[in-house]
Amino acid sequence: MDQLMIAMLKQSREKIAREKAKELSLDLKSITQLYNEYAVPFELWEICLEMLYFASYSGDADSSIVRETWARLIDQALSRGGVVEACSVLKRVGSYMYPGDGALLPLDTLCLHLEKAALERLESGVETVGDEDIARALLAACKGAIEPVLNTYDQLLSNGAILPSPNLRLRLLRSVLVVIREWAMSVFGTEDGYKCSWRFINIRRIILSGTNCSHQPRDS
């Protein structure tokens, strides 16, 4: 019964899609019509963001429309290919919209969404996510600009209410080390940058080893 319902829904969506495609071929549509009648109903979230960008959308009071659209796009990518696919989407779409006025690339929302998803999938064993994946995706979305990414992590780590989980805070700290290492390499040059990188790697190892060590009581 479930498979029959799924097949019927699929056929229904395909029929609607054909009808909408026919409508598009008959006459020109405004960008508002394309957004509300085609892109949103068919969950074409990447196209929705491109339309908002093309229309120079400045955002509502709290940019809720943009944030919600990004969240749906990232969730769609996660369901299709996990964190790897979501990071790929962020790199592609984000770099298209950066820098802009910042309204169309809510780094705090994207960072927290992806870091949470990465931690959940890693802890559940669904997917192996590297420590550098999210940070590097954010850097790529910002076309290599380090300051906005570092500021985003700083903002999130400063808000204890947003990061109630110690494991999530630790994951963000690991990502910060990635960003700082990139900053060191860009500032000090290749040779010195690599030296700084190894220093930060050693710090990271200390942090990780500290979370795994058990404190034994001393003999009196």
Side-chain angles (χ1 to χ4, degrees), residues 25-39:
S25 65
L26 294 177
D27 60 285
L28 293 175
K29 306 288 184 182
S30 69
I31 191 169
T32 302
Q33 287 176 305
L34 291 172
Y35 182 89
N36 292 320
E37 298 176 17
Y38 298 89

Side-chain angles (χ1 to χ4, degrees), residues 11-28:
Q11 289 180 355
S12 176
R13 285 181 63 86
E14 289 176 350
K15 181 180 179 181
I16 295 172
R18 286 194 296 269
E19 291 174 352
K20 290 293 185 180
K22 185 177 180 180
E23 289 178 9
L24 285 172
S25 65
L26 294 177
D27 60 285
L28 293 175

Side-chain angles (χ1 to χ4, degrees), residues 6 26 51 55 68 116 128 138 146 180 182 184 202 204:
I6 292 173
L26 294 177
M51 287 181 175
E68 183 179 342
K116 281 183 175 179
T128 301
L138 289 166
I146 293 171
I180 292 176
E182 289 297 313
N202 289 333
R204 176 180 166 217

